[in-house]
Structures are given as structure tokens and as C-alpha cells.
Amino acid sequence: MAVCARLCGVGHSRRCRRRQNQDHPASDSDPDMDDEEDERIVGRKEAAGGPGPGGVPGRADAGPPNPQSLLDLPPELLVEILASLPGTALPTVGLVCKRFRQILHTETIWRRRCTEEFGVKEDLRKMEAGGVSSRDFYVKLLHPYRNILGLWQPDIGPYGGLLNVVVEGLFVIGWMYLPPHDPRVEDPMRRRPLFRIHMWENKKASTVKKDEFSTKCNQTDHHRMPGGRQEEFRTWLEEEWGRTLEDIFHEHTQELILMKFIYTSQYDNCLTYRRIYLPPPMPTDLLRPGLFKGTYGSHGLEIVMLSFHGNTARATKLTGDPNVPAGQLTLEVDLSRPVVLPDLERQRCVDELSRLVLGVHAEVQREGQALGPAAAPPPAQRVPEEAACGGSSSSEESDGAEVKPSGAVGGGSTAAASLPDSQPFVLPMGVMARNEVYPRTCKKCFYGTGQIAGHGFTSPERTPGLFVLFDKDRFGFIWLELKSFSMYSRLTDRLGHAHAPNMERFDAMLRNMQSWTS
């Protein structure tokens, strides 16, 4: 009777209609009786311990031995079937018949939907014991806000950013990801909660349009401090840079910091966000694509997205600066042009490294001109130091490299296979680095270009450089024209609902990102 009562949705104060139908076969007839008779609900035991329908004493009715329809199946099997359907289809299933509607009240179904569709890791049984059903959790929180889960880029002019919207407990929380303080590129990301949505919210959020939504703070005074703008700036500076303005001696860096504070503080947490995807990994990728933190000189640390496109690797900015804004390409690496480094003694001359890499750059230009003007990359030109990613502290002594001819290898995967597993590495003398703590061995090196520009993304140019792969989670880039070095370290946070469904969708997203800040 307990199983029957649970499936029929009645308590101890009401008798199961099926039992009532047996007690009063003639008087309790109504239009629903045919449906209820078809439900064949199990759990009814034979009276006084008598044999069950199969001849086994006390055994519950398991339905006919040769079921002709879903309604003939035992309820535990129906629960398993319905639990495998997507949650969006279950309301329609409930319209089929009364028995399906009753079984859809089983928490096991919704518990599984929460886990499989949204990756919920919380103990849903404990939540149910606290009075919140998995069905309500799915219907009132997960499903209404499913379209805002994942990664987003806030529209903050050239600065951009990274927002991760996740389910935590009974809330949907938007975490703003901030890079670690410069120059500690290998430190973990910092997180700041930007908004929180409870499952019992009266007003539901709605997306502005596909892959875009906005937030608006109705209590802007909450962001104001008693000490005025000066106190707000000091607090912001401590959070953004981990130090005071007096500790930053470089005048140009101070100007960039003040400019960013003035620009970003005008939003008061009223922002528009555009969806971004992580690139789908491919077996031929040089390393696993994804998000990396990188040093960008006086601009501090920035977040880039590394992706692979045939024989080309690209790093796109998710956070940016007034020179090269968020959404723009920062690095492009030709995986068909590997570089084999000589011994450490020969790596100590930056002029030798420049001569070799610029020789490859000239070869690329000649090949591009042969294919047509549109295929050739723009010529590299020297730009002011403040227009690019140059560092401020000198590194260890180092010198040049030797470039392997591009004709020696056929493609990215062949090039990677033909290089040694590990080789000594040291930065050339005179190359500036924000952080001198970098690996002294590398796996592979390739010719590439890095984008530099003047203030306001004026006169953008692609300047030649050397891409250095240290391991599966770290790489670097030597900007030869600027004599500077950027170190990149993987962002290791778990990011759900983030991967692009296919490469075509990811490529379309990259094109849209560039159009936002072009």
C-alpha cells in the first residue's frame, strides 16, 4: 500500500482509488476509472500473506509477463525510462496519461536530470531532506536560468573580462574572474561574486537576445565609499594590483592604472555580457587549448584564449588594454615553421635570434606575396615601447636561436614529431621580462607574430617573434622588435557549460569578438 500510495499521490488520510474501486465496483464508477484501471499500479499485496499473482507468497504485482505497452511496465522501470529523457520533454510526457503524471513526481527522475544536464554536484538528497525537492530545483532555478550558465565577456570597452556563471547550492552565481597580481602569472585566478540568483526569486531574469544578457544594479550607492573617489581608488588598486600607487614607480604604468579605474568605475555594475566558448580539443592539437594568464608589461596580467586552426595556433585576448583591446588577436603561431634552439652559449645573442627569426618572417612575406596581396601579413615596424607589451625588469643573459627551414616539415603535427622532446632554454640578453621565474627547458619552439598597436588600437601591426612551448600548461613568446618576453600559464579552474558545440561555432564566436572592439 505504501508504494501504491506514493505513486497515486495520496496520504494516509485518503484511500487509494484502486483499492476503493475493488471495494465498491459498482458505485464508484466515473470517467477516470478506465485510465486508472490501465495504470496497473504495483505494490498491492495479497491479503493475509497469500500467494502473489505469480504464485510466490507476498510478492508484489510486477505486471503482465508480456507487456503490450509502456503502461504495462512496472513503475520502477518506467522511472528509469523517464529519467533518461531530457527535462524539457517531461512536461509533454506528463500529458499522456495520469500514471505518467504521477510517476513524474518521483524525485529520482529530477535528481538525475539535475546531475546529467547541469552537472550539479551537491547532495540532492540532503537538499530534499531540507524541504527543497529536486523537481522544484530543476523547474524553478536550473531550467529558467539555463541560458546564462557558462562563460561570458563583459562589454567594458577595451578591458573586457571573464565571467563564469555557475550553479552553487540553491543559487546561480556569476563569478568575475580576475588574473593574479602582476607578475605572479602562475598564481591561481582570483574570483569576485558579481550577482546571485535564488531559486525563489520573484522576478525572473531574461536574456536580451541570443547569447547576450545584461545586469543592472539598483543600489549604486552600495558601491560608494565614505571617503569618496580617493578611497574607492585605493580599494580598487589594492584589489586590482595588490599594492598602492606609491609602490608603482613607472609613470606610464600609473597613467594606465588611473585610466582603467576612471573608465571601469563609470559602469556601476550595469553591464552587458556576450557568450564566449572554449575551443573544442582535437587530437592533433600541439597542447590542450583553453585559457591562459599572460604578462603584458605595464598593462599587467591579461587572460587569453589559445586555439588551434590547422597549422596555426592563435591566442585571442579576453581581457585587454587601450592598445590591443579585448577580443583581438594577440599571438599567431605558424606550427609548420619550427625552430630548433642551439646550445646555451649560442642562445645568448639576441641579434642572432633576431636575424634568424626575421629571416623566416621575410620568407613568409615572400610566400604571401606569391599567393596574392591579401595573403601576405603586414610588414613589421618598430613602435613605441608604451604601445606594446614590453616589460620593466631585465632577465638573465641569453642569446639567439637556429631556425629549421619550413620545407623540412610538412605540417603542425609532423613538425612537432620531428623536434626533440626537450631542449635547454634561456632568454637572450637584453630581452625584458616581468617575471624571471620561467622554465629553463622547453619542448618546442615555432615562428610566430604578435600584434602591437598605438593607443586606441591605432596602426595595428604584427611583429615577428618566437613561440616557446615549455610544457602542457605553460608557454612563452619573445617579442623580438620590442625585446620583451611574455610568460603564459594555464587557467586551471573547472569551467562548466563552456565548450563550443563544434569548431564552426567557435570560429564564428572569434569573428564576433573581434568585431566588438574593432
Side-chain angles (χ1 to χ4, degrees):
M1 182 61 190
V3 176
C4 185
R6 183 173 69 252
L7 294 176
C8 290
V10 300
H12 295 293
S13 61
R14 296 177 58 194
R15 301 184 65 193
C16 173
R17 289 187 178 182
R18 183 174 177 85
R19 180 68 59 83
Q20 293 173 352
N21 188 35
Q22 293 173 347
D23 293 343
H24 308 282
S27 59
D28 291 334
S29 176
D30 60 67
D32 292 334
M33 283 303 164
D34 292 338
D35 289 341
E36 294 192 14
E37 185 63 25
D38 286 340
E39 290 173 4
R40 303 180 185 277
I41 298 175
V42 301
R44 180 171 56 87
K45 295 185 178 180
E46 296 298 316
V56 181
R59 182 171 178 175
D61 185 1
N66 297 309
Q68 302 299 313
S69 70
L70 287 176
L71 294 175
D72 294 331
L73 296 177
E76 61 270 17
L77 187 54
L78 282 175
V79 167
E80 184 66 21
I81 293 173
L82 297 187
S84 65
L85 299 177
T88 53
L90 295 180
T92 304
V93 173
L95 299 176
V96 174
C97 67
K98 186 177 297 183
R99 187 183 188 196
F100 283 179
R101 287 199 301 275
Q102 293 166 345
I103 290 181
L104 285 179
H105 286 279
T106 307
E107 288 294 279
T108 304
I109 298 174
W110 300 100
R111 203 180 297 140
R112 184 168 164 182
R113 290 296 91 221
C114 294
T115 302
E116 292 187 0
E117 294 182 21
F118 297 96
V120 175
K121 303 299 182 182
E122 286 79 6
D123 190 341
L124 297 179
R125 294 180 184 273
K126 290 184 179 179
M127 183 179 69
E128 293 162 8
V132 178
S133 69
S134 294
R135 185 175 186 272
D136 282 344
F137 188 48
Y138 184 98
V139 172
K140 297 182 179 180
L141 185 72
L142 300 183
H143 183 72
Y145 295 100
R146 67 194 183 282
N147 291 327
I148 67 171
L149 299 179
L151 296 180
W152 302 83
Q153 186 178 47
D155 184 8
I156 313 179
Y159 299 104
L162 178 63
L163 178 76
N164 186 27
V165 183
V166 298
V167 178
E168 292 187 11
L170 299 179
F171 299 91
V172 169
I173 301 180
W175 291 101
M176 184 68 79
Y177 276 65
L178 305 174
H181 293 136
D182 183 58
R184 301 194 295 270
V185 68
E186 298 201 34
D187 284 2
M189 295 287 291
R190 298 173 293 131
R191 299 194 310 166
R192 183 181 68 196
L194 202 62
F195 61 81
R196 188 177 68 171
I197 304 171
H198 193 274
M199 65 177 293
W200 303 114
E201 290 285 344
N202 292 326
K203 295 182 179 180
K204 299 295 183 183
S206 59
T207 54
V208 178
K209 57 182 180 181
K210 184 179 180 181
D211 293 336
E212 182 177 306
F213 76 97
S214 300
T215 59
K216 180 179 180 180
C217 180
N218 295 324
Q219 297 178 338
T220 55
D221 291 342
H222 176 73
H223 309 290
R224 300 289 177 253
M225 295 185 177
R229 297 288 279 176
Q230 290 186 347
E231 183 180 352
E232 292 173 16
F233 175 67
R234 285 194 298 269
T235 302
W236 176 87
L237 185 61
E238 177 65 27
E239 181 182 80
E240 191 82 7
W241 286 78
R243 44 185 164 166
T244 64
L245 194 63
E246 291 75 16
D247 297 330
I248 303 172
F249 302 106
H250 199 285
E251 182 178 351
H252 178 61
T253 303
Q254 292 181 348
E255 293 176 357
L256 291 173
I257 291 173
L258 285 170
M259 184 187 309
K260 184 174 183 179
F261 170 74
I262 293 172
Y263 192 98
T264 58
S265 62
Q266 63 181 321
Y267 285 91
D268 282 330
N269 283 348
C270 300
L271 296 171
T272 297
Y273 304 86
R274 300 182 179 94
R275 182 178 293 281
I276 57 178
Y277 293 110
L278 296 180
M282 303 294 290
T284 56
D285 291 344
L286 183 66
L287 70 158
R288 181 166 56 90
L291 304 183
F292 289 79
K293 304 153 284 182
T295 55
Y296 278 83
S298 53
H299 295 296
L301 297 188
E302 297 185 9
I303 305 172
V304 303
M305 178 185 295
L306 180 69
S307 58
F308 294 91
H309 311 262
N311 281 341
T312 302
R314 295 171 184 164
T316 304
K317 283 191 171 186
L318 295 187
T319 61
D321 51 67
N323 297 102
V324 179
Q328 295 299 320
L329 188 69
T330 179
L331 302 179
E332 188 168 45
V333 184
D334 190 341
L335 301 177
S336 68
R337 301 178 188 274
V339 175
V340 179
L341 297 178
D343 56 62
L344 287 177
E345 187 62 30
R346 294 183 59 195
Q347 290 184 37
R348 298 183 183 277
C349 178
V350 67
D351 292 335
E352 177 68 10
L353 178 63
S354 296
R355 182 183 67 83
L356 294 171
V357 176
L358 289 176
V360 179
H361 185 68
E363 179 184 347
V364 171
Q365 288 185 306
R366 287 194 299 270
E367 293 179 0
Q369 290 171 355
L371 295 174
Q381 299 179 5
R382 183 179 297 277
V383 297
E385 178 74 18
E386 61 269 20
C389 66
S392 60
S393 61
S394 60
S395 65
E396 279 193 22
E397 300 182 356
S398 300
D399 287 63
E402 180 179 341
V403 178
K404 190 172 183 178
S406 61
V409 293
S413 58
T414 307
S418 65
L419 295 177
D421 293 336
S422 181
Q423 48 192 329
F425 174 80
V426 65
L427 282 176
M429 180 184 297
V431 172
M432 312 296 286
R434 298 291 292 180
N435 193 336
E436 297 183 8
V437 181
Y438 61 89
R440 294 309 193 265
T441 61
C442 66
K443 290 183 175 296
K444 300 174 179 65
C445 296
F446 296 92
Y447 159 81
T449 57
Q451 183 158 233
I452 55 180
H455 187 85
F457 197 43
T458 56
S459 304
E461 302 286 350
R462 288 166 54 188
T463 181
L466 184 68
F467 176 88
V468 184
L469 175 63
F470 295 115
D471 53 43
K472 63 183 180 65
D473 293 324
R474 293 178 296 179
F475 65 87
F477 190 80
I478 299 177
W479 309 71
L480 291 176
E481 288 290 317
L482 304 172
K483 290 185 171 59
S484 64
F485 173 73
S486 291
M487 179 72 188
Y488 298 83
S489 178
R490 185 183 297 278
L491 192 154
T492 57
D493 299 64
R494 295 179 60 88
L495 304 172
H497 307 279
H499 282 89
N502 50 59
M503 200 62 192
E504 290 74 17
R505 188 76 172 270
F506 177 78
D507 288 338
M509 182 213 69
L510 286 184
R511 291 192 296 269
N512 289 335
M513 286 179 63
Q514 293 182 6
S515 67
W516 298 339
T517 52
S518 295

